[in-house]
Amino acid sequence: MNRAEQLERLTSRREPWDILIVGGGATGLGAAVDAASRGHRVALIEQHDFAKGTSSRSTKLVHGGVRYLEQGNLSLVLEALRERGLLLRNAPHLTHALPFVIPCYRWWEAPFYGIGLMLYDALAGRRGLGRTRLLSARKVRERLSTISPQNLKGGVLYFDGQFDDARLALALARTAVAHGAAVTNYVKCTALLKEQGTIVGVRATDSETSRGFEIRARVVINATGVFVDDLRRQDQPDAAKLVRPSQGIHLVLAREFLPGHSALLIPKTSDGRVVFAVPWLGHVILGTTDTPVPDTSLEPRALEEEIRFLLENAARYFTRPPARADILSVYAGLRPLVSHGDDTKTAELSRRDFIQVSASGLITITGGKWTTYRQMGEEVITKAETSAALAGRPCVTPTLALEDDFDNAIAALAAADPELAAPLHPRLPYRRADVVWAAREGLARTVEDVLARRTRALFLDARASIEAADEVAALLSRELAWTPSQTATRANEYREFARGYLLPE
């Protein structure tokens, strides 16, 4: 998957594409896979990198949503549990089942949560990942050795799914390409093209060369996440705001805070949410929050009150409460929640997706969550077929395996060149081969692309990733033909950027 080849395919086509998708996060990439696998001629452009925004900043869970069950939203839970089962079947190399434990400190909690989670199992049916059961206090401590034992009465064990969000996004991009789509990052949509009031494509700019060009298509899909209103207002300047963004943050800790194989679920916090402590890639992710924010940003930052909220809640459950000095990285993402003009708290807004077709034919899809990306893709492409009078073709993604040969390809590079087999950094689980593969086959164009999304170094240990920036820049300079001045500048740019993932002083 080479960017120059993808860009050439995108710009050299003389006939209109059937479908042009703007946005390279989970929703846009899922739609591209759906459309291409149906046999449509598909192009996708992303103004930055794939999964740059919300889609790389999740809790790394493929789940039905136990909180939605408590809210009584059974249809959303059923939908997500079905999609969870499909994703674990279609991408077994990228996903796995994960045991969760809810520790209970009052006598009524275990039967209360146990009954709810047994219903969760029943709703999953044959796609269930494991049987919910009650645990004694001793069994809870066997699974969560760092949990506070004081007044511990027992617990509940249940199962959900886990994945690596940015890696799945890249697998979706590769799958779309394998089915004939043209998929390109660092191409920005600068204007919508209209003829007689109907959208017929976009004007776009290659961010690397500043070259502008037109991309014509029978239908354009706006899948830009929290930024959908920006594109909608290019179509209709007076369009009412659709998205009400909500910020969620995560703190990354060393594995010693949760050394076993089970995740911890804190079922009730002061704001009514659940908080997870999840083992992931040799570390622990603690999150999340639900904070309404007035504006969208490509790089949202954690607020001090959010950091304090997570540390205070964790302190009630761990024998050694995590402190500020223990935080290896802090990251924030924005949820594209659909408000429909009401003033409901963001924690209470539905996570269901929403599709809108404008008078000029722009199709906007927003809302939803990673777990339901496939269904969202199916829904929006079916809508596009109808809206643009495309040939209706059956969706095949329920049984479509996702492309991902990353590990084998990287291992082959390392085996062929001892220099590339060397570790990238002593505190990171990556090799130089990861960087070279990312540039050659993973469409990585910057130090950030490599350290934030092709590897997850920035999210695992922000300081270690800063220390690795020069090494990554030097490797990329050979692959991407950077000058010495460009190499130094891009390493410095990454260091400045990555400081935003360190705990605010």
Side-chain angles (χ1 to χ4, degrees):
M1 191 167 66
N2 178 278
R3 184 177 184 274
E5 294 173 358
Q6 293 299 307
L7 189 62
E8 173 63 21
R9 290 190 58 218
L10 181 71
T11 57
S12 63
R13 183 176 175 81
R14 296 292 173 257
E15 296 296 316
W17 298 91
D18 292 332
I19 298 170
L20 171 63
I21 299 164
V22 182
T27 304
L29 290 167
V33 170
D34 188 285
S37 62
R38 292 193 198 196
H40 295 302
R41 295 164 296 183
V42 184
L44 179 146
I45 58 173
E46 162 57 43
Q47 69 170 344
H48 201 279
D49 187 31
F50 306 116
K52 158 70 176 177
T54 306
S55 295
S56 63
R57 302 159 192 259
S58 73
T59 316
K60 323 306 178 193
L61 298 180
V62 185
H63 63 115
V66 292
R67 186 166 63 88
Y68 313 139
L69 184 64
E70 184 182 5
Q71 293 172 350
N73 196 339
L74 293 184
S75 64
L76 183 59
V77 174
L78 276 168
E79 173 186 296
L81 287 173
R82 181 186 67 247
E83 293 302 313
R84 181 191 72 176
L86 293 177
L87 181 53
L88 266 70
R89 184 185 67 191
N90 294 337
H93 49 304
L94 297 174
T95 60
H96 60 268
L98 181 69
F100 285 77
V101 174
I102 302 177
C104 300
Y105 291 87
R106 285 174 280 190
W107 68 267
W108 56 266
E109 290 179 329
F112 176 78
Y113 294 123
I115 291 170
L117 288 164
M118 288 173 189
L119 173 60
Y120 193 62
D121 290 351
L123 292 173
R126 58 186 175 83
R127 294 192 178 98
L129 304 180
R131 183 176 58 85
T132 292
R133 59 183 184 270
L134 303 185
L135 301 177
S136 66
R138 181 176 64 83
K139 288 293 185 181
V140 170
R141 295 210 65 201
E142 286 178 2
R143 286 183 171 270
L144 304 176
S145 61
T146 54
I147 198 73
S148 173
Q150 187 173 2
N151 297 321
L152 181 66
K153 301 293 191 283
V156 182
L157 172 72
Y158 77 100
F159 294 82
D160 245 321
Q162 187 176 46
F163 76 133
D164 182 332
D165 47 15
R167 178 164 171 174
L168 180 59
L170 191 60
L172 290 171
R174 290 172 67 82
T175 304
V177 168
H179 285 81
V183 175
T184 315
N185 52 356
Y186 294 101
V187 173
K188 181 177 175 61
C189 170
T190 57
L192 296 170
L193 297 174
K194 287 187 179 180
E195 292 179 356
Q196 299 178 335
T198 299
I199 292 174
V200 295
V202 306
R203 290 192 183 92
T205 300
D206 176 6
S207 300
E208 294 191 350
T209 64
S210 298
R211 172 193 172 198
F213 50 90
E214 293 185 354
I215 309 170
R216 293 193 163 250
R218 295 175 65 181
V219 64
V220 175
I221 295 175
N222 174 13
T224 54
V226 294
F227 301 103
V228 293
D229 287 328
D230 295 343
L231 194 56
R232 290 176 64 243
R233 285 172 178 164
Q234 287 188 34
D235 178 31
Q236 296 174 286
D238 61 347
K241 190 175 181 181
L242 185 61
V243 167
R244 187 174 177 193
S246 165
Q247 177 163 292
I249 78 157
H250 296 81
L251 309 179
V252 181
L253 307 168
R255 192 73 166 91
E256 65 194 59
F257 283 94
L258 201 67
H261 299 292
S262 298
L264 164 69
L265 186 149
I266 299 172
K268 200 77 169 179
T269 62
S270 57
D271 72 345
R273 287 187 60 81
V274 300
V275 166
F276 296 99
V278 180
W280 186 68
L281 299 181
H283 294 69
V284 177
I285 296 175
L286 180 67
T288 180
T289 57
D290 197 325
T291 308
V293 291
D295 301 305
T296 56
S297 167
L298 198 57
E299 276 298 330
R301 297 298 184 213
L303 303 174
E304 178 57 35
E305 56 264 35
E306 293 179 300
I307 297 167
R308 188 167 57 248
F309 168 82
L310 289 178
L311 290 177
E312 287 174 354
N313 275 279
R316 300 189 185 113
Y317 288 85
F318 287 101
T319 51
R320 181 198 151 200
R324 296 177 69 89
D326 297 311
I327 298 172
L328 300 174
S329 184
V330 53
Y331 64 93
L334 300 180
R335 305 176 187 90
L337 304 182
V338 181
S339 68
H340 300 292
D342 61 33
D343 59 356
T344 306
K345 293 180 181 179
T346 55
E348 297 170 3
L349 290 176
S350 173
R351 270 51 177 173
R352 191 176 296 281
D353 59 284
F354 179 78
I355 298 174
Q356 180 187 77
V357 183
S358 74
S360 60
L362 178 68
I363 300 179
T364 294
I365 180 167
T366 192
K369 57 179 185 171
W370 245 121
T371 303
T372 57
Y373 86 89
R374 189 216 61 82
Q375 178 169 308
M376 292 168 66
E378 177 180 351
E379 291 172 353
V380 77
I381 297 306
T382 299
K383 176 68 75 173
E385 288 178 338
T386 302
S387 178
L390 298 172
R393 293 171 177 166
C395 172
V396 300
T397 55
T399 57
L400 183 68
L402 298 184
E403 298 273 336
D404 178 18
D405 56 356
F406 308 170
D407 290 340
N408 290 337
I410 292 167
L413 276 176
D417 187 342
E419 180 188 355
L420 298 184
L424 193 59
H425 187 281
R427 296 202 306 276
L428 296 172
Y430 303 111
R431 296 175 288 185
R432 293 173 178 172
D434 289 271
V435 182
V436 172
W437 181 88
R440 291 180 185 174
E441 298 293 336
L443 296 180
R445 310 301 295 174
T446 70
V447 177
E448 179 196 336
D449 292 349
V450 171
L451 288 172
R453 290 172 293 279
R454 303 310 182 275
T455 72
R456 308 316 307 275
L458 175 63
F459 290 77
L460 298 180
D461 189 328
R463 200 169 301 281
S465 80
I466 290 171
E467 294 166 3
D470 282 332
E471 178 72 25
V472 171
L475 290 165
L476 288 177
S477 70
R478 299 183 212 168
E479 301 298 321
L480 303 179
W482 293 347
T483 66
S485 174
Q486 288 173 324
T487 303
T489 296
R490 288 164 187 178
N492 286 332
E493 287 173 347
Y494 176 77
R495 280 190 284 268
E496 183 62 29
F497 159 79
R499 288 189 185 100
Y501 288 69
L502 296 172
L503 198 66
E505 303 240 342

